[in-house]
Amino acid sequence: MIRNEVVDKTDMRNTEISVSILSADLLHLQDELEKLKQADADQLHFDVMDGQFVPNISFGLPVLQAVSKQTDLFLDVHLMIRNPLQYIENFASAGADLITFHLESADDPFQVIAEIRKQHCKVGISVKPGTPAKALLPFLDLVDVILIMTVEPGFGGQSYLHDMTEKIRAIKNMLQERDLRNVRIEVDGGIDAGTAPEALQAGADILVSGSYLFRQDDMKSAIMQLKR
Ligand code: DX5
Ligand code: ZN
């Protein structure tokens, strides 16, 4: 009995759920934000797509501004855009708490990191499935979050790529070897009750989930379940 309680607390201590509003009902966004709040979402994941870096277009600055005015949730902004450097200041002003950019999208990732810091946001760096873990080595001690894509970026509702679990583990090891305990691993794409345990066991700290959570009648218990 006591042992179970301890195990539960340990397992749930650090896990956070960032709910992707890509799958929300955008016509009723205010209600959806309230739903996230009621469901105890830890973060709101905001997917920005430009039709260039990824083959889809989602939403951008005016929507982030509106969201930021309506919610006090932590705003986790995932930029899937070319030339992120040009837009960092705008996304920071629009209310982003964390700005994550793609390593593959930036001419000079160091400069993008410096610009995000300058805007007083947390810094995230992301890699597509085809980019190996070792490509992140020069940036490990400069960022707050490493976002590992477990689908090809561009669309919600895709299936988790199980090959990526090994990459999560590799990055977890790289961080542990360097004693970088404050850098958190976020996993994005195809997270549901079936795949969450696999990502968590490999070392994920933050799970992004969109289509799965918005399909649930009871988002709150679904979020609790994902954390276990
Ligand atoms: C995909 C996005 C994801 C997406 C996740 O390019 O980065 O954040 O919204 O959606 P699900 O949970 O449906 O895979
Ligand atoms: Zn995302």
Side-chain angles (χ1 to χ4, degrees):
M1 179 78 172
I2 290 170
R3 220 190 78 206
N4 279 343
E5 265 175 36
V6 171
V7 168
D8 271 348
K9 276 185 190 156
T10 315
D11 282 345
M12 289 181 69
R13 193 181 51 205
N14 287 320
T15 307
E16 289 192 74
I17 305 298
S18 191
V19 182
S20 168
I21 59 162
L22 194 60
S23 298
D25 176 355
L26 295 178
L27 199 54
H28 300 104
L29 198 46
Q30 195 168 357
D31 299 338
E32 298 286 58
L33 296 178
E34 189 50 36
K35 193 165 154 187
L36 257 60
K37 192 76 194 164
Q38 296 305 324
D40 291 336
D42 300 289
Q43 305 187 11
L44 183 155
H45 187 83
F46 192 90
D47 285 309
V48 182
M49 304 177 184
D50 66 351
Q52 299 287 319
F53 181 68
V54 289
N56 195 11
I57 299 176
S58 57
F59 31 62
L61 291 161
V63 180
L64 182 63
Q65 238 163 31
V67 166
S68 148
K69 278 189 201 139
Q70 275 304 317
T71 184
D72 55 5
L73 279 166
F74 183 91
L75 297 180
D76 159 28
V77 173
H78 178 193
L79 297 182
M80 287 163 277
I81 62 173
R82 272 197 195 154
N83 193 13
L85 184 62
Q86 192 181 338
Y87 301 99
I88 300 302
E89 191 177 349
N90 292 330
F91 279 101
S93 311
D97 293 299
L98 161 71
I99 300 181
T100 297
F101 71 100
H102 269 265
L103 176 58
E104 305 89 351
S105 72
D107 294 334
D108 183 351
F110 293 104
Q111 211 185 344
V112 181
I113 292 170
E115 180 62 20
I116 300 173
R117 289 263 178 246
K118 191 176 150 204
Q119 300 301 327
H120 306 292
C121 293
K122 298 245 182 232
V123 179
I125 192 165
S126 182
V127 282
K128 289 183 181 186
T131 303
K134 67 174 190 311
L136 290 163
L137 278 171
F139 312 102
L140 293 180
D141 57 348
L142 301 175
V143 300
D144 301 296
V145 168
I146 293 172
L147 176 77
I148 302 166
M149 291 304 304
T150 42
V151 297
E152 282 301 333
F155 300 90
Q158 304 181 75
S159 300
Y160 181 92
L161 297 169
H162 290 279
D163 289 355
M164 293 301 111
T165 304
E166 210 38 58
K167 193 198 266 185
I168 302 171
R169 204 166 280 127
I171 291 167
K172 181 77 183 172
N173 287 337
M174 279 157 45
L175 292 173
Q176 272 174 346
E177 279 162 18
R178 289 160 184 78
D179 206 22
L180 293 168
R181 268 175 270 177
N182 294 327
V183 182
R184 309 193 76 205
I185 298 179
E186 181 170 7
V187 172
D188 185 8
I191 294 294
D192 58 24
T195 56
E198 185 173 326
L200 289 175
Q201 266 161 28
D205 303 296
I206 306 163
L207 299 176
V208 176
S209 184
S211 55
Y212 169 72
L213 287 178
F214 280 100
R215 266 202 313 271
Q216 307 303 311
D217 293 326
D218 184 352
M219 193 190 273
K220 186 173 181 163
S221 58
I223 285 179
M224 268 161 53
Q225 201 191 348
L226 287 185
K227 290 191 185 191
R228 288 195 205 104

